[in-house]
Amino acid sequence: TRKESSAASDVYKRQAYASFEGIKPSGNSVLHITATNFDEPMTVDIVEDSDYTIAWHGAAGDEALTYVGGLDTDLRDAVREELRAADFTAPEEVPDGLKGESPDNITNRNAREEGVQLEITRAQRDAFLTDNGAPTSTFYDFTAAVEEAVAQR
C-alpha cells in the first residue's frame, strides 16, 4: 500500500529504493505485475547498477510470516536467520510461485545476478502500521533485522 511504501522509503533513505504501487482507491490487484515481467526502466537501471537487491513483495496470508527466497542463497539465509532471531516467522519452505528463483526476476537482475525476495503476508504487513499509517516498532524491528543481514556482507 501507499502507507507501507512511504514507511519503507523513510527507512531506506541510505539505499537505492524503488516502489511500484497501485494508486487506485481500490481494486489495485488488477495492476499486479509478476517479478519476472517487471521492466519499468528506472527500476531496472537501479537494480542493474546494484550489487545486492532485496525485493519486498506482499503475499496473502492470515498468519504473520515472511517467505524468504531468491538466488542469493547466502544473503537469503542470513535474512531468514536475522528475522528469526528478532522473533519473526520465516519458514524454511517457500511456496511455489514465491521462491524468486527465476533469473528474469527483477531481484536477480543486479550486477551479481542474484538477489533476495521477501514475500510478506498480509497479517505481517498489517502489524507494520498503526491505523493511521504510522510505522510500528514491529516494522522497525523487521527492517533492522533485514539491515543486519545486509550489513554482514
Side-chain angles (χ1 to χ4, degrees), residues 91-103:
E92 196 73 32
E93 291 296 315
V94 178
D96 289 339
L98 303 181
K99 293 182 179 183
E101 294 177 339
S102 169

Side-chain angles (χ1 to χ4, degrees), residues 67-147:
Y67 298 109
V68 186
L71 292 177
D72 188 341
T73 55
D74 290 338
L75 182 55
R76 178 196 68 202
D77 294 348
V79 168
R80 187 181 294 126
E81 288 173 22
E82 291 297 331
L83 287 173
R84 289 175 179 166
D87 292 325
F88 291 98
T89 303
E92 196 73 32
E93 291 296 315
V94 178
D96 289 339
L98 303 181
K99 293 182 179 183
E101 294 177 339
S102 169
D104 295 328
N105 185 309
I106 187 69
T107 200
N108 296 319
R109 292 172 60 190
N110 63 28
R112 297 170 51 247
E113 299 181 340
E114 57 183 19
V116 172
Q117 178 168 299
L118 305 180
E119 290 283 353
I120 308 167
T121 62
R122 166 51 56 199
Q124 184 62 75
R125 295 189 324 270
D126 286 346
F128 289 165
L129 302 173
T130 64
D131 289 340
N132 67 358
T136 63
S137 61
T138 301
F139 173 79
Y140 290 113
D141 292 345
F142 188 95
T143 57
V146 174
E147 285 188 348

